[in-house]
Every structure is written in C-alpha cells, then in structure tokens.
Amino acid sequence: MSTPAIAAPRGTRDYLDGDGAALLSCIDIHRRVSSLFGYRHVITPIFEAAELFERGTGTGTDVVEKEMYSFTDRGNRALALRPEGTPGVIRALAADPAVRDIRPYRAQYDGPMFRYDRPQKGRYREFHQVGVEVLGVRDPNIDVEVLHVAWETFSALGIGNVDIRLNSLGSREDRLHYRDELVAYYTPLRDELCEDCRRRLDTNPLRLLDCKTDARHVAAAPILLDGLAADTRTYFHDVQEGLRAEGIPFTVDPRIVRGLDYYCDTTFEFWHSSLNGAQNALGGGGRYDGLAEVLGLPHTPGVGYALGVERLMVIRSELEGIQQGLSPSVLVIALDAESVKHARTCATALRAASVPTALDVAKGKLDRKFRWCERMGVSWCIMCGEDEVRDGQVTLRNLQDRTQERLDMDACIARLAASREE
Ligand code: AMP
C-alpha cells in the first residue's frame, strides 16, 4: 500500500515558479519606496502573546473572535499567530526606550499574517502584508505622508486607478456621541437585524456599519462626519488639503469606520475595481492614538496602513508587461569535464554583469538541457567545449530562433545586454 501524500493546509498556498518572484517583487518595491521616505525596517515575531491581539486588534472583532490562530505552547503560554502587523510593531517600538523618544519614528514591515478566513480567490489563511507605521506625533501632515507612501507604492507597482476612500472618526468624544446616535437609530430595527448585528448593537455599535447583510440599514444610518467637533473637523480638513497639495486623489466615504475605541481621526481604505466583491480592498489603515495605552504602554500617537500582497499580485498579474521577477535568462553548459572550469568562469562573469545565470556542469544530453531551458523560460544558452576553451570564447545559442555564434565573453555580455533592451 502506498503512503498517502500530505497536502498543504487549506487556505495556504505554495509560491512556485514565477509566483515566488512576483510576491517578493511586491515586497521589494514596498521596501524600496518606504525606505525612500525614510521608513526603517522593523521585524517582529510571527507569534505573540494572544493577549496582544485580544487587546490591540480587539476582542469583539471577527479577526480575534473567529479568525485567530491561538494555541498554547509547551510551557502553557497563550500565544497566537499574528493576524496583523500593527500591534507587534507598536509593542516593540513604544516599549523601547532607545526609540520611544524619536518623534516621529517611521517604521515599515512586511511578512506573513494568519487568519482563519474562508478561503477563496485573493483570500487565504496565510497571506502577506506590507505596511508602515509612524509613531510619536499627531499631525495631519504625517497622515498625508503615510497615504503618499502607499500611493507611490501603487505607482511603483504599476497599479493605477486605486480608489482611496477617506473618512474621519473624530475624537473619542465625537465617537461616544455618535455611538449613542447609532444605538438610537438601530434599536427600533433590532428584530430586522442579522444575528451578528444584534450582537454588535449590544457590544460594539460602530461595527454595525461593517455589515454586508443589513446594507439597507447601513445606507440610512446617521453619519459620523456630520457631528464632528470643530477641532477634529479642522484636522480632517488639513488632511484633505495636504492630499490635494500632493496631487493624491481621494473620495470622502463616511462608511469607512474601524470599530475600535483607540482609532481616531483619519481612517481610509484602498479599493481597486479589478478585485471583486468582498475582496476589493487592497488595504487600509488610519490613526490609532489610543492603541499604545491599550497595550499598557506610554501614550504614543500613531498612524499606518497595511496592504495585502496577494491582492496586489492579483492586479499586477492582470497587467501586461510587468516583470514578474528574475528567472535565469541564461544557462551556461559545460560540454565535457575539461570545460567545467571555463564554464564556471563564464557564469561568474555573467553574474558580475547582473545577468541571471544558471550553470549546468552535469553530464547529459544537450537536447534535454535545451528542453529544461524551454520549461524554465530561459532563452539563451552558452556552451563551453574543447574549442571554446582553446580559443577563450563561448558559443552563444539563441533558443528561440536556434541560431548560434562564437564570441569572446565581453562581446557575449554586450550581446545579452542588448537583447534585454530590445
Ligand atoms: P485588514 O487588516 O483587515 O484591514 O486587512 C488589510 C488588507 O490585508 C486587506 O485589505 C487585504 O488586502 C489583506 N487581507 C486581509 N485578510 C486577508 C486574507 N485572509 N487573505 C488575503 N489578504 C487579506
């Protein structure tokens, strides 16, 4: 009887072939763009105390209540795989005396996140996010800057037409006032609400606005923006002016809310029309001036965003002409044992000239090696045999039109560079 094969866990995926390169290319681009804005890389653990997310992401959110991978380790500690990046980054930065006093502190992060979500296209149980957080100041210019970094990231990824939906949640007082208004509006409707919303009405009324089932009631609900106090209204006005000054388009959407108490002022989501339905958000974020205190840390205002890398990849893969990362563009083949040294020298020279190069010094039929190239999308072969070693040259074969020529190495590198520009 044969042993059954083990499949990848539901909701996870392997990144094979070009997919691995495509994922890393999105992450690299975000690293490059946020570094250009002065954001420093922060790497935090993939698992944390479960309480960090219970407090930071919030009991009462689906992410914590229904989707978190919580477990007890062998030392009986309650841990969780991180469902999002922000609480870990804040925990690390707001607790570190060496960085706590650097205001603003600009941080960037990326990596895998875990949620027990219902898997479907663009939604996984292990997925990747890239994000930034700016800690230490409450200033509309910083909110604008964070949106600017996201905007430049989309542009560097070749993703146009991102719809920025912007809202303000105002101050804590604004929200307490608004919460009362929502409760007054929803209470007479209780019997018509879905089960989740009946619970939300008692536990976290702001989250009623997230409901897709009771969309009709959401559409007619009172609007928080209408009741903002003067100073929070000015803050929101300044954010909008700043975005206009940077030429970043946005739409004010009063339905973009985050149902947690520590969120305040600016909140936003990034949408894209080529993502469907519930998966149309590329990412989101906002200001969370109360979060550090919820985690038991000194008061540290902050603002940030997270983007879903798999969603960025879906859009990029629909765009033609986006380079999905580098696969080798050349295979160097040693035709016999005596040519291995020459082949190695050639491969080293090509790599030094930034030509992605694979080397094959194994015995074997040339036909097979050419077939390997075809499957890997490699379009050039460099062959080194007795004659090439003797003359200090190589034979360059174009696998597409099957022509070949004898050249010395410099000419070969120039020829390959020219072909990449064609
Ligand atoms: P959130 O922290 O829920 O605001 O999520 C930020 C972004 O992460 C979303 O807009 C998605 O792009 C992405 N995201 C969240 N959950 C998933 C998931 N289960 N699979 C893939 N991407 C996700």
Coordinates of all heavy atoms in Angstrom, one line a residue, residues 115 117 122-124 127 129 258 281-283 306 308 311, ligand 1:
R115 N -5.0 34.2 9.3 CA -6.4 34.4 9.8 C -7.2 33.2 9.3 O -7.1 32.8 8.2 CB -7.0 35.6 9.2 CG -6.4 36.9 9.7 CD -7.1 38.1 9.1 NE -6.3 39.3 9.4 CZ -6.6 40.5 9.0 NH1 -7.7 40.7 8.3 NH2 -5.8 41.6 9.2
D117 N -9.8 32.5 7.8 CA -10.8 33.1 7.0 C -11.3 32.0 6.1 O -10.8 31.0 6.0 CB -10.1 34.1 6.1 CG -10.6 35.5 6.2 OD1 -11.8 35.6 6.5 OD2 -9.9 36.5 6.0
G122 N -7.9 35.4 -3.7 CA -7.4 36.6 -3.0 C -7.6 36.6 -1.5 O -7.4 37.6 -0.8
R123 N -8.1 35.5 -1.0 CA -8.3 35.4 0.5 C -7.7 34.0 1.0 O -8.2 33.0 0.5 CB -9.7 35.5 0.9 CG -9.9 35.8 2.4 CD -11.3 35.6 2.9 NE -12.2 36.7 2.5 CZ -13.5 36.6 2.7 NH1 -14.0 35.5 3.1 NH2 -14.2 37.6 2.4
Y124 N -6.8 34.1 1.9 CA -6.1 32.9 2.3 C -6.0 32.9 3.8 O -6.3 33.9 4.5 CB -4.7 32.9 1.8 CG -4.6 33.0 0.3 CD1 -4.5 34.2 -0.4 CD2 -4.8 31.8 -0.5 CE1 -4.5 34.2 -1.8 CE2 -4.8 31.9 -1.9 CZ -4.7 33.1 -2.5 OH -4.7 33.1 -3.9
F127 N -1.4 34.8 4.5 CA -1.3 35.8 3.4 C -0.2 36.7 3.9 O 0.4 36.6 5.0 CB -2.6 36.5 3.2 CG -3.2 37.2 4.4 CD1 -3.0 38.6 4.5 CD2 -3.8 36.5 5.4 CE1 -3.5 39.3 5.6 CE2 -4.3 37.2 6.5 CZ -4.1 38.6 6.6
Q129 N 1.4 40.8 4.2 CA 1.1 42.2 4.2 C 2.4 43.0 4.2 O 3.4 42.6 4.7 CB 0.3 42.6 5.5 CG -1.1 42.2 5.5 CD -1.9 42.7 6.7 OE1 -1.3 43.1 7.7 NE2 -3.2 42.8 6.6
R258 N -13.6 52.1 11.6 CA -13.0 51.0 12.3 C -13.6 50.9 13.7 O -13.6 52.0 14.4 CB -11.5 51.3 12.4 CG -10.9 51.6 11.1 CD -9.6 50.9 10.9 NE -9.5 50.5 9.5 CZ -8.7 49.5 9.1 NH1 -7.8 49.0 10.0 NH2 -8.6 49.2 7.9
A281 N -10.8 45.3 -1.3 CA -9.9 46.2 -0.6 C -8.5 45.7 -0.8 O -8.2 44.5 -0.6 CB -10.3 46.2 0.9
L282 N -7.6 46.6 -1.2 CA -6.2 46.3 -1.3 C -5.5 46.5 0.0 O -4.5 46.0 0.3 CB -5.6 47.4 -2.2 CG -5.6 47.2 -3.7 CD1 -5.0 48.4 -4.4 CD2 -4.8 45.9 -4.0
G283 N -6.2 47.3 0.9 CA -5.6 47.6 2.2 C -6.3 48.7 2.9 O -7.3 49.2 2.3
A306 N -1.8 48.9 6.1 CA -1.4 47.6 5.7 C -2.0 47.3 4.3 O -3.1 47.6 4.1 CB -1.8 46.5 6.7
G308 N -2.5 44.2 1.4 CA -2.5 42.8 1.2 C -1.7 42.4 -0.1 O -2.1 42.8 -1.2
R311 N -3.4 40.5 -2.9 CA -4.3 41.3 -3.7 C -3.5 42.2 -4.7 O -4.0 42.4 -5.9 CB -5.1 42.2 -2.8 CG -5.8 41.5 -1.7 CD -7.3 41.2 -1.9 NE -7.7 40.3 -0.9 CZ -8.5 40.6 0.2 NH1 -8.9 41.9 0.3 NH2 -8.9 39.7 1.0
Ligands
AMP1 P1 -7.1 44.5 7.5 O1 -6.0 44.4 8.5 O2 -8.2 43.5 7.8 O3 -7.5 45.9 7.2 O4 -6.5 44.0 6.1 C1 -5.6 44.7 5.3 C2 -5.5 44.1 4.0 O5 -4.9 42.8 4.1 C3 -6.8 43.8 3.3 O6 -7.3 44.9 2.6 C4 -6.4 42.7 2.3 O7 -5.8 43.3 1.2 C5 -5.4 41.9 3.1 N1 -6.1 40.8 3.7 C6 -6.8 40.7 4.9 N2 -7.2 39.4 5.1 C7 -6.7 38.7 4.1 C8 -6.8 37.3 3.7 N3 -7.4 36.4 4.5 N4 -6.2 36.9 2.6 C9 -5.5 37.8 1.8 N5 -5.4 39.1 2.1 C10 -6.0 39.5 3.2

